[in-house]
Amino acid sequence: MTDNPMRILLVEDDALLADGLARALRQSGYLVDIASDGKTADRWLEAESFDLTILDLGLPELDGSEILHRLRQRRQRTPVLVLSARQALEERVRLLDLGADDFVVKPVALAELEARVRALIRRGQGSPDSSITLGRLRLDTVGKRAWLEGNALELTAREWAALEFLSSRVNRIVNKEQITQALYSWEDDITPNAVEKFISRLRIKLEPAGINIRTVRGLGYFLEKPVEAGNAAD
Ligand code: CA
């Protein structure tokens, strides 16, 4: 329950898909506006402010990459999640250059879409420098880096993603499937076994600083809120 619901612009000309996605996102508490053609989307984006835009590429009147181009030309920072057909994946470098923040491949897996929506909104909210501080651990969610007491932490991409995911849900249990979704990447299939492995590597890196990732057998993991040590020197 947020007092201030996040507002999402969903740009999708496939009415069935748009309705399905909008329904799911509304159930999760977002306000969703649907634009079913490119010109409408461009007009709305210019006139209003959205916390996130979910953008299809193939659209009537104005295509998605042109909308993205115009949005960034106007220096609007709204995070953009691109809905992309599998065959358009080669375009992703160009789209990243244009200012896309993330991608979801069609057919859309709802849980994955929602995980990405949450991540982008969180990133967007925090202003350009959005950092999470947990005891002696500090995360820069824009630069995707972490420090323990000012020392940069060496993390693999997966470890980083898992850490960011867990850190944004302190004291809340997340299961392996959620972690896998948060880590979703283009090439990889991540097995539950692999999740266990990199969580345990992450744990080893964090433990010296008193940051604990707890296992809840049969349920998943949570990052324990560090005890505020006051100014205790050690
Ligand atoms: Ca389309």
Side-chain angles (χ1 to χ4, degrees), residues 12-14 56-59 106:
E12 172 58 68
D13 60 319
D14 177 337
D56 181 32
L57 293 177
L59 291 165
K106 292 182 181 182

Side-chain angles (χ1 to χ4, degrees), residues 137-157:
L137 175 69
R138 188 166 68 81
L139 304 187
D140 166 7
T141 60
V142 175
K144 296 188 186 299
R145 301 191 61 202
W147 292 267
L148 275 180
E149 306 194 294
N151 299 315
L153 206 55
E154 297 270 346
L155 297 171
T156 66

